[in-house]
Amino acid sequence: MHQLAGQKRILLIDPADSALLYADHAKNALGNTPVDLFKIDLNMYPLVAHATLWPVVLEPGDVLFIPSQWW
């Protein structure tokens, strides 16, 4: 990912934490999570509290490599 202008805020999560994100909760939704990671409801999704979130802020000119299968 290359940021040309402005600022972009993203969260990265290791694929090893996929189960903590309630990933693939439906057979027709592979690679998805019902959790809104910018507004996490821990009452509904308590396992997310154990996932490691990697916040990143990209500035103009920044380049970020996101490994395959990372959230």
Side-chain angles (χ1 to χ4, degrees), residues 39-58:
K39 187 178 176 186
I40 300 170
D41 181 350
L42 291 176
N43 291 320
M44 185 174 277
Y45 305 109
L47 294 179
V48 178
H50 303 288
T52 301
L53 306 178
W54 298 86
V56 177
V57 177
L58 295 175

Side-chain angles (χ1 to χ4, degrees), residues 21-45:
L21 302 177
Y22 301 83
D24 302 334
H25 59 286
K27 291 181 182 177
N28 62 347
L30 297 176
N32 293 300
T33 177
V35 180
D36 178 350
L37 295 174
F38 289 102
K39 187 178 176 186
I40 300 170
D41 181 350
L42 291 176
N43 291 320
M44 185 174 277
Y45 305 109

Side-chain angles (χ1 to χ4, degrees), residues 12-21 23 52 54 67-71:
L12 295 176
I13 303 172
D14 189 314
D17 286 344
S18 291
L20 301 174
L21 302 177
T52 301
W54 298 86
S68 177
Q69 299 182 1
W70 274 63
W71 295 89

